[in-house]
Amino acid sequence: MAESAVAQFRPLDRGAAAALANATHGDPFAVLGPHWSEAGPIVRAFLPGARKVEVLTRADRAPLGRLDARHDSGLFEGLVQRTDPYLLRIEWPGGVQETEDSYAFGLLLGDLDLHLFNEGRHFGLGETFGAQAMTVDGVPGVRFAVWAPGARRVAVVGDFNAWDARRHPMRVRYPAGVWELFVPRIGPGERYKYDIIGPDGARLPQKADPVARQAEPPPATASVVADPRAYHWHDAGWMATRGERQSPAAPISIHEVHLDSWFRGERTGADTAWDEAARRLIPYVVEMGFTHVELLPITEYPFGGSWGYQPLGLFAPSGRFGPPEGFARFVDAAHAAGIGVLLDWVPAHFPTDPHGLARFDGTALYEHLDPREGFHRDWNTFIYNFGRREVQGFLIASALFWLEHFHVDGLRVDAVASMLYRDYSRREGEWIPNVYGGRENLEAVGFIRHLNAVIGERCQGAITVAEESTAWPGVTNSIEHGGLGFSYKWNMGWMHDTLRFMARDPIHRPYHHDDITFGMLYAFSERFILPLSHDEVVHGKGSLIGKMPGDNWQRFANLRAYLAFMWAHPGKKLLFMGNEIAQQHEWSHDAQIEWHLLDYPEHQGVQRLVRDLNRIYAAEPALHRLDSDANGFRWAVGDDRANSVFAFLRFAGDAPPILAVSNMTPVPRRDYRIGVPRAGRWREIINSDSSLYGGSNAGNSGGLHTSGAGAHGHAQSLDLLLPPLATVLFRHEG
């Protein structure tokens, strides 16, 4: 280079160099990378700790120039012959590195990506934002993109730059507020976070990536660059038919599972929790006759005691269980076995952990600023700002990621009631009314409808389930008819009422008869799932068997009668793990299910009953086809308070009707006459008092014929023996 040219070259001013050295410079592309000066092309690189930096052509590694160290800060700059695609040859104390320059790459995200994101309609964030291992201009590396519109500066830090916030500051794309950077020659497995300076100039705690597709196992909190290779699925047949399998006319029986405590065995080698679950859990679910497994939240969460209900990584399967591809293998194996996979998904709120979404860019970005709108005192969590389009799009993209990328069959949406009401769990003066002065959270309603509309359009056969405990109308009505658009709703009222009844001593049950019958007043107002969920066996509520009154025999008889009543009742079924074996102790997330109880006959009997109930439920159309239709149900005996007897009929067109009779007292009732709509033989297909299940074996000799004595408005009737504390199911056989 001529001396005159060198003389005209002006080094970067000390202020900008100091900003780079202090990790405060907010526009790195303005000073780093290739630039043009009066003296000719120059290259600047900020590489603290480097000894020597040269510029080479990428094609043949021919020298283009040497960069000189400036200001003893790590800044290197110098004239080069030209700025063809080049490499930096960096001499570090521990060796030599040759790599492309992050600041030689142009804009990364397209304008359409940014526009759709700001509109809340970019539903492919999992494949666009976050850390995407990819090739740019023929160079392998990782493209990082993160939304932080309030930040003055954002840098990506990780193992690849010794977690040095000075090394990889990012470029902001106005007006989207998205920061991006391509880091060449790194790939899957790299740990990383974002170093952010807020609008007030304060440096925030380093943040995990909101759109990370992988995270390191807790208690560590870094995000991980995920393997971009697509999983090769084998479930085309399942995906084509799951809509029928999950329709209101289908038998749906769900086993709810907390993966971390279902089984706690030792794993060796490359074995992951997902592989173990594929080997153990899926065959068990098949053997028990359940149609679905529902997992408590597996989206990455920092605190194990939240059971996943306080997640921070809505695009990442928890690192506790292994890499994301392990989860894909699990879902594929479930589908191969004919089992659907549902996930609990939490779009209502998120925890306050400093490495998470809270005040992500120094502002209330994902949450509301005002705690009257944006903070749950009950859970010590922030509430998503559903009125912000980017937040809506972020949440919908998360839902689609699980449904599309991982072939999940449905999402059970947690805490819907807390989303729908602005005054949820708040006293007067602690909440802000909507624009009309009401308590309804109109923004959340809009989000829920948008979510369900997009899922319905894009994810054929997938379902959404609302965990909603209030009388909000039309939760499962179509959006076109003013509903929220969910496929199903948990019937929380049924669960609480019937459990309250079952917990009473039978001598008091006649005075609380309505706890059983009341649910039928609204049973067909929504498409319901009857849940006996994890919520009922924690926080001092005891186990399901522990709620049952009486001596040991009566407790088991009560539980068996209740389960059989539930399986006969209109509504799809959900049973939390451990309940099917009558686990004695309250569930603890730190301990596995009490599988040793299966050494005892009474526990084996409950398990056998649940297995048989699932088999009968699936085989008998009358027990499932019209679960959401009043034409499928008719009371036979609903007013026998004195004897705590309940009897009803289930129908499904031309299919044989089913008669279900429950005697919720320990007194056998002989010659109990019930009118039925058809004459002939009625076969006893389930008797919870059978000795097979640990009962006294009282019954009706496998079935009986009607007599001509009319009863309950029918010309014929059955003269039954009702076993003590038992539910008996009969099918008409002609």
Side-chain angles (χ1 to χ4, degrees):
M1 194 68 61
E3 288 188 14
S4 59
V6 173
Q8 295 174 22
F9 171 59
R10 297 180 181 178
L12 187 66
D13 69 81
R14 287 186 174 273
L20 290 172
N22 295 328
T24 59
H25 200 296
D27 189 9
F29 279 82
V31 294
L32 298 178
H35 291 273
W36 188 261
S37 73
E38 295 179 357
I42 63 171
V43 170
R44 292 194 191 96
F46 192 79
L47 300 165
R51 293 176 174 175
K52 179 180 177 182
V53 181
E54 296 177 279
V55 181
L56 313 175
T57 61
R58 190 192 305 170
D60 57 7
R61 286 176 168 70
L64 292 175
R66 175 175 173 174
L67 307 187
D68 298 321
R70 303 286 186 185
H71 311 305
D72 298 324
S73 63
L75 176 66
F76 291 81
E77 59 183 344
L79 289 163
V80 294
Q81 297 176 19
R82 57 187 185 275
T83 56
D84 293 346
Y86 64 86
L87 297 172
L88 297 177
R89 188 176 190 276
I90 308 165
E91 182 180 317
W92 300 101
V96 175
Q97 174 191 16
E98 289 187 358
T99 182
E100 290 77 9
D101 184 359
S102 290
Y103 301 95
F105 291 88
L107 300 179
L108 301 172
L109 292 175
D111 289 339
L112 181 59
D113 285 319
L114 300 176
H115 172 74
L116 290 175
F117 173 72
N118 286 144
E119 288 291 313
R121 294 186 294 114
H122 197 317
F123 301 136
L125 295 184
E127 288 80 24
T128 308
F129 279 48
Q132 302 295 331
M134 62 193 312
T135 298
V136 176
D137 297 340
V139 179
V142 176
R143 184 186 70 193
F144 296 91
V146 63
W147 181 49
R152 287 190 183 181
R153 178 187 185 272
V154 179
V156 60
V157 296
D159 293 328
F160 51 88
N161 60 18
W163 299 88
D164 188 338
R166 300 171 295 174
R167 286 281 305 279
H168 287 103
M170 305 173 77
R171 166 174 49 207
V172 65
R173 300 289 300 278
Y174 291 112
V178 174
W179 299 73
E180 65 177 17
L181 189 71
F182 179 70
V183 180
R185 304 296 169 179
I186 66 172
E190 293 278 3
R191 300 184 306 147
Y192 71 98
K193 283 186 177 181
Y194 295 113
D195 183 89
I196 300 175
I197 295 178
D200 60 355
R203 177 165 269 108
L204 306 176
Q206 289 182 344
K207 296 287 190 175
D209 189 346
V211 193
R213 291 169 52 173
Q214 187 173 347
E216 60 179 341
T221 57
S223 302
V224 177
V225 179
D227 190 332
R229 291 176 296 180
Y231 178 77
H232 179 64
W233 292 92
H234 308 86
D235 63 349
W238 168 273
M239 297 295 284
T241 61
R242 70 176 181 180
E244 299 174 10
R245 297 169 182 260
Q246 303 188 136
S247 75
I252 297 178
S253 180
I254 304 165
H255 196 41
E256 188 189 30
V257 170
H258 177 256
L259 190 66
D260 213 22
S261 59
W262 186 79
F263 181 80
R264 287 178 173 263
E266 294 293 329
R267 293 188 292 272
T268 59
D271 205 14
T272 71
W274 294 120
D275 297 315
E276 181 181 61
R279 284 197 311 271
R280 292 175 178 265
L281 175 59
I282 292 173
Y284 180 75
V285 171
V286 172
E287 177 192 357
M288 289 299 297
F290 291 102
T291 62
H292 289 71
V293 61
E294 179 175 318
L295 301 176
L296 271 61
I298 62 163
T299 49
E300 190 56 77
Y301 53 99
F303 174 48
S306 77
W307 320 322
Y309 288 102
Q310 294 192 6
L312 282 177
L314 290 189
F315 293 77
S318 177
R320 296 167 173 81
F321 309 127
E325 55 268 26
F327 177 59
R329 289 195 300 270
F330 171 80
V331 175
D332 210 12
H335 289 171
I339 299 298
V341 178
L342 307 178
L343 296 186
D344 278 14
W345 182 66
V346 187
H349 59 120
F350 58 89
T352 60
D353 299 66
H355 72 280
L357 299 178
R359 303 298 190 264
F360 185 79
D361 63 355
T363 70
L365 187 62
Y366 289 88
E367 69 273 35
H368 293 272
L369 179 61
D370 193 322
R372 292 175 298 172
E373 293 185 283
F375 192 74
H376 270 308
R377 291 183 178 178
D378 293 353
W379 303 323
N380 194 36
T381 55
F382 286 118
I383 301 168
Y384 284 105
N385 184 351
F386 301 111
R388 191 159 195 170
R389 290 175 299 187
E390 294 93 341
V391 173
Q392 277 207 27
F394 167 79
L395 293 170
I396 293 173
S398 165
L400 292 174
F401 188 72
W402 297 101
L403 295 168
E404 295 179 340
H405 185 78
F406 285 114
H407 288 203
V408 167
D409 300 295
L411 301 175
R412 177 268 200 184
V413 182
D414 183 62
V416 172
S418 75
M419 299 165 66
L420 293 175
Y421 297 98
R422 286 175 165 264
D423 63 346
Y424 181 87
S425 193
R426 296 177 188 271
R427 295 187 295 269
E428 187 68 31
E430 295 179 346
W431 58 282
I432 298 176
N434 63 34
V435 293
Y436 302 109
R439 58 195 287 257
E440 298 82 8
N441 190 329
L442 303 179
E443 294 81 9
V445 171
F447 159 69
I448 290 170
R449 288 174 171 163
H450 191 193
L451 167 74
N452 284 322
V454 172
I455 290 175
E457 180 180 336
R458 293 179 51 142
C459 305
Q460 182 179 3
I463 61 173
T464 57
V465 180
E467 190 240 357
E468 205 285 308
S469 56
T470 74
W472 185 281
V475 172
T476 58
N477 280 2
S478 68
I479 298 166
E480 293 78 8
H481 291 89
L484 297 181
F486 284 101
S487 309
Y488 297 97
K489 173 183 173 175
W490 272 21
N491 196 335
M492 311 286 281
W494 178 91
M495 176 176 68
H496 294 147
D497 290 349
T498 58
L499 281 176
R500 184 171 60 240
F501 178 90
M502 294 304 301
R504 299 185 188 278
D505 188 289
I507 198 170
H508 301 300
R509 287 176 179 172
Y511 306 101
H512 303 278
H513 198 78
D514 293 345
D515 281 344
I516 293 291
T517 61
F518 179 71
M520 290 313 305
L521 296 179
Y522 61 87
F524 307 109
S525 61
E526 304 277 5
R527 293 186 294 274
F528 281 120
I529 291 174
L530 307 182
L532 290 178
S533 73
H534 66 279
D535 279 327
E536 297 308 309
V537 292
V538 290
H539 298 321
K541 297 178 184 177
S543 65
L544 195 58
I545 186 70
K547 299 178 193 297
M548 302 297 139
D551 58 25
N552 193 59
W553 188 93
Q554 289 187 355
R555 290 168 61 230
F556 277 88
N558 270 300
L559 177 58
R560 294 193 304 268
Y562 181 48
L563 291 172
F565 166 78
M566 171 183 174
W567 255 254
H569 193 284
K572 311 308 180 187
K573 324 301 175 189
L574 179 140
L575 190 65
F576 183 57
M577 65 180 196
N579 289 338
E580 83 281 8
I581 65 169
Q583 175 158 312
Q584 293 281 13
H585 294 95
E586 182 176 276
W587 170 61
S588 168
H589 67 275
D590 288 325
Q592 75 170 13
I593 296 302
E594 298 172 337
W595 296 112
H596 65 277
L597 294 175
L598 290 175
D599 292 337
Y600 300 92
E602 59 268 36
H603 294 275
Q604 293 177 13
V606 174
Q607 185 190 49
R608 185 178 295 116
L609 174 64
V610 173
R611 184 189 301 121
D612 288 351
L613 286 170
N614 276 328
R615 176 180 56 81
I616 294 294
Y617 171 64
E620 298 295 338
L623 289 178
H624 62 257
R625 189 175 294 168
L626 298 182
D627 265 335
S628 304
D629 188 332
N631 292 317
F633 176 90
R634 188 185 308 158
W635 279 114
V637 178
D639 57 356
D640 189 357
R641 294 174 176 269
N643 295 312
S644 292
V645 170
F646 308 87
F648 53 84
L649 290 148
R650 297 294 307 278
F651 302 95
D654 295 333
I658 302 292
L659 172 67
V661 188
S662 297
N663 174 16
M664 295 304 189
T665 69
V667 180
R669 307 209 177 274
R670 301 183 182 277
D671 303 320
Y672 196 98
R673 187 168 299 279
I674 298 179
V676 290
R678 297 186 187 179
R681 177 175 169 80
W682 288 72
R683 180 185 173 193
E684 189 178 82
I685 57 174
I686 282 286
N687 180 351
S688 70
D689 190 52
S690 167
S691 60
L692 291 173
Y693 310 133
S696 66
N697 220 32
N700 296 273
S701 301
L704 66 169
H705 285 79
T706 58
S707 71
H712 304 114
H714 298 289
Q716 57 280 322
S717 61
L718 296 171
D719 192 9
L720 301 174
L721 166 61
L722 304 186
L725 292 173
T727 296
V728 187
L729 273 60
F730 301 88
R731 179 183 63 212
H732 181 256
E733 291 190 332

